Coordinates of all heavy atoms in Angstrom, one line a residue:
M30 N 8.2 -13.2 8.1 CA 8.8 -12.0 7.7 C 9.0 -11.1 9.0 O 8.1 -10.9 9.7 CB 7.9 -11.2 6.7 CG 8.5 -9.9 6.3 SD 7.4 -8.8 5.4 CE 6.8 -9.9 4.1
G31 N 10.2 -10.7 9.2 CA 10.5 -9.9 10.3 C 10.3 -8.4 10.0 O 10.0 -8.0 8.8
S32 N 10.5 -7.6 11.0 CA 10.3 -6.2 10.9 C 11.2 -5.5 9.9 O 10.9 -4.7 9.1 CB 10.4 -5.6 12.3 OG 10.5 -4.2 12.2
A33 N 12.5 -6.0 9.9 CA 13.5 -5.4 9.0 C 13.1 -5.7 7.5 O 13.3 -4.8 6.7 CB 14.9 -6.0 9.3
N34 N 12.7 -6.9 7.3 CA 12.3 -7.3 5.9 C 11.0 -6.5 5.5 O 10.9 -6.1 4.3 CB 12.1 -8.8 5.7 CG 13.4 -9.5 5.7 OD1 14.4 -8.9 5.3 ND2 13.4 -10.8 6.0
L35 N 10.1 -6.3 6.4 CA 8.9 -5.5 6.1 C 9.3 -4.1 5.7 O 8.8 -3.5 4.7 CB 8.0 -5.5 7.3 CG 6.7 -4.7 7.1 CD1 5.9 -5.3 6.0 CD2 5.9 -4.7 8.4
R36 N 10.3 -3.5 6.4 CA 10.7 -2.2 6.1 C 11.4 -2.1 4.7 O 11.2 -1.2 3.9 CB 11.8 -1.7 7.1 CG 11.2 -1.4 8.5 CD 10.5 -0.1 8.7 NE 9.2 0.0 8.0 CZ 8.0 -0.4 8.5 NH1 7.9 -0.9 9.6 NH2 6.9 -0.2 7.8
K37 N 12.2 -3.2 4.3 CA 12.8 -3.3 3.0 C 11.7 -3.3 1.9 O 11.8 -2.6 0.9 CB 13.6 -4.5 2.9 CG 15.0 -4.5 3.6 CD 15.7 -5.8 3.5 CE 16.9 -5.9 4.5 NZ 17.4 -7.3 4.5
I38 N 10.7 -4.1 2.1 CA 9.6 -4.2 1.1 C 8.9 -2.9 1.0 O 8.6 -2.4 -0.1 CB 8.7 -5.3 1.5 CG1 9.3 -6.7 1.3 CG2 7.4 -5.2 0.7 CD1 8.5 -7.9 1.7
S39 N 8.7 -2.2 2.1 CA 8.0 -0.9 2.0 C 8.8 0.1 1.2 O 8.3 0.9 0.4 CB 7.8 -0.3 3.4 OG 6.9 -1.1 4.2
T40 N 10.2 0.0 1.4 CA 11.1 0.9 0.7 C 11.0 0.6 -0.8 O 11.0 1.6 -1.6 CB 12.5 0.8 1.2 OG1 12.5 1.1 2.6 CG2 13.4 1.7 0.5
V41 N 11.1 -0.6 -1.1 CA 11.0 -1.0 -2.5 C 9.7 -0.6 -3.2 O 9.7 -0.1 -4.3 CB 11.3 -2.6 -2.7 CG1 11.0 -3.0 -4.1 CG2 12.7 -2.9 -2.3
V42 N 8.6 -0.9 -2.5 CA 7.3 -0.5 -3.0 C 7.2 1.0 -3.3 O 6.8 1.4 -4.3 CB 6.2 -1.0 -2.1 CG1 4.8 -0.4 -2.5 CG2 6.1 -2.5 -2.1
S43 N 7.7 1.8 -2.3 CA 7.7 3.2 -2.5 C 8.5 3.7 -3.7 O 8.1 4.5 -4.5 CB 8.2 3.9 -1.2 OG 7.3 3.8 -0.2
L44 N 9.7 3.0 -3.8 CA 10.6 3.3 -4.9 C 9.9 3.0 -6.3 O 9.9 3.9 -7.2 CB 11.9 2.6 -4.8 CG 13.0 2.9 -5.8 CD1 13.4 4.3 -5.7 CD2 14.2 1.9 -5.7
V45 N 9.3 1.9 -6.4 CA 8.7 1.5 -7.6 C 7.5 2.4 -7.9 O 7.3 2.9 -9.0 CB 8.2 0.0 -7.6 CG1 7.3 -0.3 -8.7 CG2 9.4 -1.0 -7.5
M46 N 6.7 2.7 -6.9 CA 5.5 3.5 -7.1 C 5.8 5.0 -7.4 O 5.0 5.7 -7.9 CB 4.5 3.4 -5.9 CG 3.9 2.0 -5.8 SD 3.3 1.3 -7.3 CE 2.0 2.4 -7.7
S47 N 7.1 5.4 -7.0 CA 7.5 6.8 -7.3 C 7.5 7.0 -8.8 O 7.6 8.2 -9.2 CB 8.8 7.1 -6.6 OG 9.9 6.4 -7.3
K48 N 7.6 6.0 -9.6 CA 7.6 6.1 -11.1 C 6.2 6.4 -11.6 O 6.1 6.6 -12.8 CB 8.2 4.8 -11.7 CG 9.5 4.4 -11.2 CD 10.6 5.5 -11.4 CE 11.9 5.0 -10.9 NZ 12.9 6.1 -10.9
F49 N 5.2 6.3 -10.8 CA 3.8 6.5 -11.3 C 3.2 7.8 -10.7 O 3.7 8.2 -9.7 CB 2.9 5.3 -10.8 CG 3.3 4.0 -11.4 CD1 4.3 3.2 -10.9 CD2 2.7 3.5 -12.6 CE1 4.7 2.0 -11.5 CE2 3.1 2.3 -13.2 CZ 4.1 1.5 -12.6
T50 N 2.2 8.3 -11.4 CA 1.6 9.5 -11.0 C 0.4 9.1 -10.1 O -0.7 8.9 -10.6 CB 1.1 10.3 -12.2 OG1 0.3 9.5 -13.0 CG2 2.3 10.9 -12.9
I51 N 0.6 9.0 -8.8 CA -0.4 8.5 -7.9 C -1.5 9.5 -7.7 O -1.1 10.7 -7.4 CB 0.2 8.1 -6.6 CG1 1.2 6.9 -6.8 CG2 -0.8 7.7 -5.5 CD1 2.0 6.5 -5.6
G52 N -2.7 9.1 -7.8 CA -3.8 10.0 -7.5 C -5.1 9.5 -7.9 O -5.2 8.4 -8.5
N53 N -6.2 10.2 -7.6 CA -7.5 9.8 -8.0 C -8.2 10.7 -9.0 O -9.5 10.7 -9.0 CB -8.4 9.7 -6.7 CG -8.0 8.4 -5.9 OD1 -8.4 7.3 -6.3 ND2 -7.2 8.6 -4.9
R54 N -7.4 11.5 -9.7 CA -8.0 12.4 -10.7 C -8.3 11.6 -12.0 O -7.4 10.9 -12.4 CB -7.1 13.6 -10.9 CG -6.7 14.3 -9.7 CD -7.9 15.0 -9.0 NE -8.4 16.1 -9.8 CZ -8.0 17.3 -9.9 NH1 -6.9 17.7 -9.2 NH2 -8.5 18.2 -10.7
A55 N -9.4 11.8 -12.6 CA -9.9 10.9 -13.7 C -9.4 11.4 -15.1 O -9.4 10.6 -16.0 CB -11.4 10.7 -13.6
N56 N -9.1 12.7 -15.2 CA -8.9 13.2 -16.6 C -7.5 12.9 -17.1 O -6.6 13.7 -16.9 CB -9.3 14.7 -16.6 CG -9.4 15.2 -18.0 OD1 -8.9 14.6 -18.9 ND2 -10.1 16.3 -18.1
I57 N -7.3 11.8 -17.8 CA -6.0 11.4 -18.3 C -5.5 12.4 -19.3 O -4.3 12.8 -19.3 CB -6.1 10.0 -18.9 CG1 -6.4 9.0 -17.8 CG2 -4.7 9.7 -19.5 CD1 -6.7 7.6 -18.3
S58 N -6.4 12.9 -20.2 CA -5.9 13.9 -21.2 C -5.4 15.2 -20.6 O -4.7 15.9 -21.3 CB -7.1 14.1 -22.2 OG -8.2 14.6 -21.6
A59 N -5.8 15.5 -19.4 CA -5.3 16.7 -18.8 C -4.0 16.4 -18.0 O -3.5 17.3 -17.3 CB -6.4 17.3 -17.8
G60 N -3.6 15.2 -18.1 CA -2.3 14.8 -17.4 C -2.5 14.7 -15.9 O -1.5 14.9 -15.1
E61 N -3.7 14.5 -15.4 CA -3.9 14.5 -14.0 C -3.4 13.1 -13.4 O -3.3 12.1 -14.1 CB -5.4 14.6 -13.7 CG -5.9 16.0 -14.1 CD -7.4 16.2 -13.8 OE1 -8.1 15.2 -13.7 OE2 -7.8 17.3 -13.8
H62 N -3.1 13.2 -12.1 CA -2.6 12.0 -11.4 C -3.7 11.0 -11.3 O -4.7 11.3 -10.6 CB -2.0 12.4 -10.1 CG -0.6 13.0 -10.2 ND1 0.2 13.1 -9.2 CD2 -0.1 13.6 -11.3 CE1 1.3 13.8 -9.6 NE2 1.2 14.1 -10.8
N63 N -3.5 9.8 -11.8 CA -4.6 8.8 -11.9 C -4.2 7.4 -11.7 O -5.0 6.5 -12.0 CB -5.3 9.0 -13.2 CG -4.3 8.9 -14.4 OD1 -3.3 8.3 -14.2 ND2 -4.7 9.5 -15.5
T64 N -3.0 7.1 -11.1 CA -2.7 5.8 -10.8 C -3.2 5.5 -9.4 O -2.7 6.1 -8.4 CB -1.1 5.6 -10.8 OG1 -0.7 5.8 -12.1 CG2 -0.8 4.1 -10.4
R65 N -4.1 4.6 -9.3 CA -4.8 4.4 -8.0 C -4.1 3.3 -7.2 O -3.8 2.3 -7.8 CB -6.3 4.1 -8.2 CG -7.0 5.4 -8.6 CD -8.3 5.2 -9.3 NE -9.2 4.2 -8.7 CZ -10.2 4.4 -7.9 NH1 -10.5 5.6 -7.5 NH2 -10.9 3.4 -7.5
V66 N -3.9 3.5 -5.9 CA -3.2 2.5 -5.1 C -4.0 2.3 -3.8 O -4.5 3.2 -3.2 CB -1.8 3.1 -4.7 CG1 -1.0 2.1 -3.8 CG2 -1.0 3.4 -5.9
A67 N -4.1 1.0 -3.5 CA -4.7 0.6 -2.2 C -3.7 -0.3 -1.5 O -2.8 -0.9 -2.2 CB -6.0 0.0 -2.4
V68 N -3.8 -0.5 -0.2 CA -2.9 -1.3 0.5 C -3.7 -2.3 1.4 O -4.6 -1.9 2.1 CB -2.0 -0.5 1.4 CG1 -1.1 -1.4 2.3 CG2 -1.1 0.4 0.6
I69 N -3.4 -3.6 1.2 CA -4.1 -4.6 2.0 C -3.0 -5.5 2.7 O -2.0 -5.8 2.0 CB -4.9 -5.6 1.0 CG1 -6.0 -4.7 0.3 CG2 -5.5 -6.8 1.8 CD1 -6.7 -5.5 -0.8
T70 N -3.2 -5.7 3.9 CA -2.2 -6.6 4.7 C -3.0 -7.9 4.9 O -4.2 -8.0 4.9 CB -1.8 -6.0 6.0 OG1 -2.9 -5.8 6.8 CG2 -1.0 -4.7 5.8
Y71 N -2.2 -8.9 5.2 CA -2.8 -10.2 5.6 C -1.9 -11.0 6.5 O -0.7 -11.0 6.4 CB -3.3 -11.0 4.4 CG -2.1 -11.5 3.5 CD1 -1.5 -12.7 3.7 CD2 -1.7 -10.7 2.5 CE1 -0.5 -13.1 2.9 CE2 -0.7 -11.1 1.7 CZ -0.1 -12.3 1.9 OH 1.0 -12.8 1.1
D72 N -2.5 -11.7 7.5 CA -1.9 -12.8 8.2 C -2.9 -13.9 8.1 O -3.1 -14.5 7.0 CB -1.5 -12.4 9.6 CG -2.5 -11.6 10.4 OD1 -3.7 -11.7 10.1 OD2 -2.1 -10.9 11.4
H73 N -3.6 -14.2 9.2 CA -4.8 -15.1 9.0 C -6.0 -14.4 8.5 O -7.0 -15.0 8.2 CB -5.0 -16.0 10.2 CG -5.4 -15.2 11.4 ND1 -4.7 -14.2 12.0 CD2 -6.6 -15.2 12.1 CE1 -5.3 -13.7 13.0 NE2 -6.5 -14.3 13.1
V74 N -6.0 -13.1 8.6 CA -7.1 -12.2 8.2 C -6.5 -11.2 7.2 O -5.5 -10.6 7.5 CB -7.7 -11.5 9.4 CG1 -8.8 -10.5 9.0 CG2 -8.3 -12.6 10.4
A75 N -7.3 -10.9 6.2 CA -6.9 -9.8 5.3 C -7.6 -8.5 5.7 O -8.7 -8.5 6.2 CB -7.4 -10.1 3.8
R76 N -6.8 -7.4 5.7 CA -7.3 -6.1 6.1 C -7.0 -5.0 5.1 O -5.9 -5.0 4.6 CB -6.6 -5.7 7.5 CG -7.0 -6.5 8.6 CD -6.3 -6.0 9.9 NE -6.6 -6.9 11.0 CZ -5.9 -8.0 11.3 NH1 -4.9 -8.3 10.5 NH2 -6.2 -8.8 12.3
I77 N -8.0 -4.2 4.8 CA -7.8 -3.0 4.0 C -7.2 -2.0 4.9 O -7.8 -1.5 5.8 CB -9.1 -2.5 3.4 CG1 -9.7 -3.6 2.5 CG2 -8.8 -1.2 2.6 CD1 -11.1 -3.2 2.0
V78 N -5.9 -1.6 4.6 CA -5.2 -0.6 5.4 C -5.5 0.8 4.8 O -5.6 1.7 5.5 CB -3.7 -0.9 5.4 CG1 -3.0 0.2 6.2 CG2 -3.4 -2.2 6.0
A79 N -5.6 0.8 3.5 CA -5.9 2.1 2.8 C -6.7 1.8 1.5 O -6.3 0.9 0.7 CB -4.7 2.9 2.5
N80 N -7.8 2.4 1.3 CA -8.6 2.3 0.1 C -8.0 3.2 -1.0 O -7.2 4.0 -0.7 CB -10.1 2.7 0.4 CG -10.8 1.6 1.1 OD1 -10.8 0.5 0.8 ND2 -11.5 2.1 2.2
F81 N -8.5 2.9 -2.2 CA -7.9 3.7 -3.3 C -8.1 5.2 -3.1 O -7.1 6.0 -3.4 CB -8.7 3.4 -4.6 CG -8.4 2.0 -5.2 CD1 -9.4 1.1 -5.3 CD2 -7.1 1.7 -5.6 CE1 -9.1 -0.2 -5.8 CE2 -6.8 0.5 -6.1 CZ -7.8 -0.5 -6.2
T82 N -9.2 5.7 -2.5 CA -9.4 7.1 -2.3 C -8.5 7.7 -1.2 O -8.4 8.9 -1.0 CB -10.9 7.4 -2.0 OG1 -11.3 6.5 -1.0 CG2 -11.7 7.1 -3.2
D83 N -7.9 6.8 -0.4 CA -7.1 7.3 0.8 C -5.7 7.8 0.3 O -5.0 8.5 1.0 CB -6.9 6.2 1.8 CG -8.2 5.8 2.5 OD1 -9.1 6.7 2.5 OD2 -8.4 4.7 2.9
I84 N -5.2 7.3 -0.8 CA -3.9 7.5 -1.3 C -3.9 8.4 -2.5 O -4.3 8.0 -3.6 CB -3.1 6.2 -1.5 CG1 -3.0 5.4 -0.2 CG2 -1.7 6.5 -2.1 CD1 -2.4 4.0 -0.4
N85 N -3.4 9.6 -2.3 CA -3.4 10.6 -3.4 C -2.1 11.1 -3.8 O -1.9 12.1 -4.6 CB -4.4 11.8 -3.1 CG -5.8 11.3 -3.1 OD1 -6.4 11.0 -4.1 ND2 -6.4 11.2 -1.9
S86 N -1.0 10.6 -3.2 CA 0.3 11.0 -3.5 C 1.3 9.9 -3.0 O 0.9 9.0 -2.2 CB 0.7 12.3 -2.8 OG 0.7 12.1 -1.4
L87 N 2.6 10.0 -3.4 CA 3.6 9.1 -2.9 C 3.8 9.3 -1.4 O 4.0 8.3 -0.7 CB 4.9 9.4 -3.6 CG 6.1 8.4 -3.3 CD1 5.7 7.0 -3.8 CD2 7.3 8.9 -4.0
G88 N 3.6 10.5 -0.9 CA 3.7 10.8 0.5 C 2.6 10.0 1.3 O 2.9 9.4 2.3
D89 N 1.4 10.0 0.7 CA 0.3 9.3 1.4 C 0.7 7.8 1.5 O 0.5 7.1 2.5 CB -1.0 9.4 0.6 CG -1.6 10.8 0.7 OD1 -1.1 11.6 1.5 OD2 -2.5 11.1 -0.1
L90 N 1.2 7.3 0.4 CA 1.5 5.8 0.3 C 2.6 5.5 1.3 O 2.5 4.6 2.1 CB 2.0 5.4 -1.1 CG 2.5 4.0 -1.2 CD1 1.4 3.0 -0.9 CD2 3.0 3.7 -2.7
S91 N 3.7 6.4 1.4 CA 4.8 6.2 2.4 C 4.2 6.2 3.8 O 4.6 5.4 4.6 CB 5.8 7.2 2.2 OG 6.4 7.1 0.9
T92 N 3.3 7.1 4.1 CA 2.8 7.2 5.4 C 2.0 5.9 5.8 O 2.2 5.4 6.9 CB 1.8 8.4 5.5 OG1 2.5 9.6 5.2 CG2 1.2 8.5 6.9
V93 N 1.3 5.4 4.8 CA 0.5 4.2 5.1 C 1.5 3.0 5.3 O 1.3 2.2 6.2 CB -0.4 3.9 3.9 CG1 -1.0 2.5 4.0 CG2 -1.6 4.9 3.9
L94 N 2.5 2.9 4.4 CA 3.4 1.8 4.5 C 4.2 1.8 5.8 O 4.5 0.8 6.4 CB 4.3 1.8 3.3 CG 3.7 1.5 1.9 CD1 4.7 1.6 0.8 CD2 3.0 0.1 1.9
N95 N 4.6 3.0 6.2 CA 5.4 3.1 7.4 C 4.6 2.7 8.7 O 5.2 2.4 9.7 CB 5.9 4.5 7.6 CG 7.1 4.8 6.6 OD1 7.7 3.9 6.1 ND2 7.3 6.0 6.2
K96 N 3.3 2.7 8.6 CA 2.5 2.4 9.8 C 2.2 0.9 9.9 O 1.7 0.4 10.9 CB 1.1 3.1 9.7 CG 1.2 4.6 10.1 CD -0.2 5.2 10.1 CE -0.1 6.7 10.3 NZ -1.4 7.4 9.9
I97 N 2.5 0.1 8.8 CA 2.3 -1.3 8.9 C 3.2 -2.0 9.8 O 4.4 -1.7 9.8 CB 2.4 -1.9 7.4 CG1 1.3 -1.4 6.5 CG2 2.3 -3.4 7.5 CD1 1.5 -1.8 5.1
Q98 N 2.7 -2.9 10.6 CA 3.6 -3.6 11.6 C 3.5 -5.1 11.3 O 2.5 -5.6 10.7 CB 3.0 -3.4 13.0 CG 2.8 -1.9 13.3 CD 3.5 -1.5 14.5 OE1 3.6 -2.2 15.5 NE2 4.2 -0.3 14.5
V99 N 4.6 -5.8 11.7 CA 4.6 -7.2 11.5 C 3.6 -7.9 12.4 O 3.4 -7.5 13.5 CB 6.0 -7.8 11.8 CG1 6.0 -9.3 11.9 CG2 7.0 -7.2 10.8
S100 N 2.8 -8.8 11.8 CA 1.8 -9.5 12.6 C 2.5 -10.4 13.7 O 3.6 -10.9 13.5 CB 1.0 -10.4 11.7 OG 0.1 -11.2 12.5
N101 N 1.9 -10.4 14.9 CA 2.5 -11.3 15.9 C 1.6 -12.5 16.3 O 1.8 -13.1 17.3 CB 2.7 -10.4 17.2 CG 1.5 -9.8 17.7 OD1 0.4 -10.0 17.2 ND2 1.6 -8.9 18.7
T102 N 0.6 -12.8 15.4 CA -0.2 -13.9 15.6 C 0.5 -15.2 15.1 O 1.2 -15.2 14.1 CB -1.6 -13.9 14.9 OG1 -1.4 -14.0 13.5 CG2 -2.3 -12.6 15.2
A103 N 0.4 -16.3 15.9 CA 1.0 -17.5 15.5 C 0.4 -18.0 14.1 O 1.1 -18.6 13.3 CB 0.7 -18.6 16.5
D104 N -0.8 -17.7 13.9 CA -1.5 -18.1 12.6 C -0.8 -17.4 11.4 O -1.1 -17.8 10.3 CB -3.0 -17.7 12.6 CG -3.7 -18.5 13.7 OD1 -3.2 -19.5 14.1 OD2 -4.8 -18.1 14.0
A105 N 0.0 -16.4 11.6 CA 0.6 -15.7 10.5 C 1.6 -16.5 9.7 O 1.9 -16.3 8.6 CB 1.2 -14.4 10.9
N106 N 2.1 -17.5 10.4 CA 3.2 -18.4 9.8 C 2.5 -19.4 8.8 O 1.4 -19.9 9.1 CB 4.0 -19.1 10.8 CG 4.8 -18.1 11.7 OD1 5.4 -17.2 11.2 ND2 4.8 -18.3 13.0
L107 N 3.3 -19.7 7.8 CA 2.7 -20.7 6.9 C 2.9 -22.1 7.5 O 3.8 -22.4 8.2 CB 3.5 -20.7 5.6 CG 3.4 -19.4 4.8 CD1 4.3 -19.4 3.6 CD2 2.0 -19.2 4.3
Y108 N 2.0 -23.0 7.2 CA 2.0 -24.3 7.7 C 2.7 -25.2 6.7 O 2.6 -25.0 5.5 CB 0.6 -24.8 8.0 CG -0.1 -24.1 9.1 CD1 -1.0 -23.1 8.8 CD2 0.2 -24.4 10.4 CE1 -1.6 -22.4 9.8 CE2 -0.4 -23.7 11.4 CZ -1.3 -22.7 11.1 OH -1.9 -22.0 12.2
E109 N 3.3 -26.3 7.2 CA 4.0 -27.2 6.2 C 3.0 -28.2 5.7 O 2.0 -28.5 6.3 CB 5.1 -27.9 6.9 CG 6.3 -27.0 7.3 CD 7.4 -27.8 7.9 OE1 7.5 -29.0 7.7 OE2 8.2 -27.1 8.6
Ligands
NAG219 C1 -10.0 16.9 -19.5 O1 -8.9 17.8 -19.7 C2 -8.9 18.3 -21.1 C3 -7.6 19.1 -21.3 O2 -7.4 20.0 -20.3 C4 -10.2 19.2 -21.3 O3 -10.2 19.6 -22.6 C5 -11.4 18.3 -21.0 O4 -12.6 19.1 -21.0 C6 -11.3 17.7 -19.6 N1 -12.4 16.7 -19.4 C7 -13.2 16.7 -18.4 C8 -14.2 15.7 -18.3 O5 -13.0 17.5 -17.4
NAG220 C1 -12.3 0.9 2.8 O1 -13.6 0.8 2.2 C2 -14.4 -0.2 2.7 C3 -15.7 -0.3 1.9 O2 -16.2 0.9 1.7 C4 -14.7 0.1 4.2 O3 -15.5 -0.9 4.8 C5 -13.4 0.2 4.9 O4 -13.7 0.7 6.3 C6 -12.5 1.2 4.3 N1 -11.2 1.1 5.0 C7 -10.4 2.2 5.2 C8 -9.1 1.9 5.9 O5 -10.8 3.3 5.0

């Protein structure tokens, strides 16, 4: 995956997640934002980029997604 495709995926994920009420508030009956989102990247190693408690709005998610970079390790490619 190149950098351009990574940006496309980030855009699509943000668009889809904009339909949800992102947040860590627990009281559903009060209409609080309670769709929890975390972000994990992987190449040959999986990394937690943001835990559930780090993302409390669509803006937080966009900030996290915009910081993700394409891996440059050779191990990131799939083997045949
Ligand atoms: C959740 O919100 C409802 C409606 O505002 C309220 O009646 C209830 O006490 C709240 N529950 C908690 C655990 O805060
Ligand atoms: C996420 O939570 C785990 C477990 O508590 C912690 O080890 C890790 O450093 C956290 N990562 C971030 C990006 O906050």
